[in-house]
Amino acid sequence: MDTHFKYRAFISYSHADEQWATWLHKALETYRVPKHLVGRETEFGPVPERFAPVFRDRDELATATSLGDTLTRALEQSAFQIVICSPKAANSKWVNEEILTYKRLGREHRIFALIVGGEPGSSASPATADQECFPNALIYKMGADGQLTTEKSEPIAADARQGKDSKIDVKLKLLAGMLGVGLDELKQREARRRQRRMMWLVSASLAGMAITSALAGAAWLARNEAERERARAEAEAETARQTTRFMVDLFKVSDPSEALGNTITAREILDKGAARIEEELVGQPAIQATLMDTMGTVYTSLGLYGSAIPLVRQSLEKRKALPGDKEAAIAQSLGHLGEALALNSDYEEATKRLQDALAIQRRLHGNTHPEVARTLTGLADVMSYTGEYAKGEPYIQEALRIRRSLYVEVHADIAESIGDLGANYFQRGEFKQAEVHLREALAMQRKLHDSVHPQLAEAMNNLAWALMSLDRPDEAESLFRSTLEMKWRLFGDAHPELAAGLNNLAYALERRGDYRGAEMAYREALAMNRKLLGESHPDIANNLNNLAFVAYARGKHLEAIELLRESLSMYRRELGAENPDVATGATSLAYWLIDAGAYTEAGELLEESLAIRRKALGENSPQVASTLTVQANLLLARRRFKEARQVAAQARSILATSLPEDHWQVAMAMNAEGAALSGLGDYEKAEPLLLGSLPRLSGSPVPGLVNRGRVRLADLYTAWGRLDQASKYASN
C-alpha cells in the first residue's frame, strides 16, 4: 500500500451512525493481515502488516462553515475513504463535503461505501427519496472542473443491513478492496495461520542446555541466583509501575471533543487502549503482554468476546517468547483465553487451552492452589455449555475440596463452588438436590455480604431458577423481585444486569400465567438493552425470543413466529451461523412452524440445528436430543410414523443418560414415541408411553405441551375404539 499516506483510511459518517463508525474503526485497526499477503505488490502498493491508523473524526461540525484545515489535511493524508451510508448520511452536509474534497484529490476510485440503512437509488423517486442512503457526492461522478456531473457512478459497497452481509463479511470486503487482494484470501486466513508456534520450544531447550553446561560450582550458582532474583524483582516492579501508569492514562480524556458530557463510553476507552498497546510499548513485550491479558479479561467480562480473544492470544504468544521464568504467566493467559473461547462457543479449543493451563499450574503449584481451582471451574463451565453435566461435576467437586482446604469455613470462593455444584444439579434436572446446594451458597453469601452485593444477587437469582423448576413460582418470583431491587441499588437506572433481572422476573410471571405482566417486563428489558446495546445484540435477540413465547402462549401465533424469526436472524448476524444459540432459535421456530403447516421450512431449520449442535456439542448431547424430539414431531405431522418412532426413541435414549427419568424433555421424547406407535397401530405399546409422559409434561416451559399430550391420548383411544377414555382426555 502507498507508504506516503499518514492514514490507511478516512471514515466519513453522520453522527447518527457513530456506533457503526466506532465498530468499523476498531475492526480495521486491530485486523492483522495474513503473513503470506504482507509485502505483496498490488495496485495500491505493497500490502501492509496492519491496517492502521484509520482516521475517524468525532465532531459533528454543527457550527462550522467549512471542513477546516484538520479534516482537509486528514483527507489528503488518507489512502482511502470509507463512507458509512444511511439516510442520515445522505442528508449530511459534511459527509457530502468530505466526499467532494476527497474526489477532488483525484481519488474517486479509492472511495468505498458501507450501507447500514436506507435503500440505494431511492432518490430517483420523490416518493422514496427520504430512504436514499448514498450522499449526492457519492452518486455522481466528478468532472474535470471539480464539480459533480450528471453521470452516475457505481459505488463499491459492503452492505450491513439486516439479511445482507455479516459484520465479518463487511470488514473483510472493505479490507480486500483497500488491500487490493481477493476476498477469499482473507476469508481463509485462519486456515493458513495454524502451522506455527514451535520454534520457541526449540530455542528454550537449547538455551536450557547451554546454561546447564555452563554453570559449574556452588558459589557461582548462589551468586547468580541472587542476581537473578534481584533482576526479576526489578522487572516485576517496572511492569507493575508501567501497567498502572498506562491504565490510569487510558482513562484520562485529553481531547476536549471527546469529553462533552458523557459521550465517551468505557467501550471506546478500551478500544483506544487496545490500539495503543502495540504502538506505545514497542520493545517492552512483558508489559504489552500483561496489558493485553488484563484488557482481554475486561472485554470478556463485558461480553465482547470478539475483542477479547485476539488480545489474549497476543498476550499468550508474547509471553511464550519472553526469556526466563514465564510458565506462570503463560498459564494465566491460557486460562483467560480458554474462558473467553468457551463463552464464544469454541469449546474444543477452550478445553485444550484450559487443560494446558491446568497442567502447568499443577506442575508449578501442586494440586492444592487457588489457580488450580479456578481452572477446574473453567473446565466445568465448558462441560456445562456442551451439555456434559455429569463430566463437569468432578471438576467442581475438586475445586470445592481445594478451596475448603485453603480457606476458612466462610469464603467467597467456597460459596462460588457450592453454587456451581447446585447449578450442575439444576442442569441435570435434579432440582431438589440443586436447591440444597443453592440454599447453602446463598446462606454463605449472606454471611459474607450484609445486604447489597453482586454475588449475593447472583446467588438469589440461581436459587429462584431452581424453585421455578420445582413448580414453586411464588417463592421464585419473590426472590427475583428482591434480586431486581438489589440490582437497581447496585447499578442505577439502566444496566445489562438490570435488563437480565427484568427478564428473569418476566419468566416467573409467564410461568404463573400472568402473560400481560410478563410481556410488560420483557418489553422493559428489551427497551433497556436497546438503549444500552444498540438495535442488534445477542441479549436483544434473547429478549425477542422471550417475547415470542409470551405471544404464543396468548394465542398470537403469527406474531410469535415473526418475533422468533427476527430473534433467529439477529443471532445469526451477531454470533455467526454455527453458534449453538442459533441452533436453539432454529429448533424453537421449527416447532411452531410444524403447527403452522410449514413443514418444508421446519425441516430445513431442524437440519441446520442438528448440524450445528452435533458439530459443537457432540452426537450424544441433550441439545441434539431435544432437536431430534422436534424432528420426530415433524415426522408425525407428515404421518411418517416409522421414522418418527426411531428418531423419538433415539432422542429418549440420549436424554436418559444426562437427565432424570421424570424430566419434561424425556417426557416430550417419550410422548412423541408413543404417538408414533399409536400411528402405527401398536396401541398397547403406545398407551403406557403416552400416559406415563403426560404428568411430567406439566413442568415444561413450552406452551401447549400438556394439551398436545392429551389430544394424542384422545386420538389413541378413539383409534383403539375406547371412546369413554377418549372423551375423558378430549373434554379437558
Side-chain angles (χ1 to χ4, degrees), residues 17-28:
D17 300 322
E18 187 167 3
Q19 284 189 334
W20 278 106
T22 301
W23 166 78
L24 182 61
H25 186 256
K26 163 72 172 173
L28 294 177

Side-chain angles (χ1 to χ4, degrees), residues 570-585:
M570 194 174 294
Y571 275 133
R572 287 190 180 119
R573 183 169 62 251
E574 294 296 323
L575 301 176
E578 296 186 348
N579 189 280
D581 285 347
V582 173
T584 301

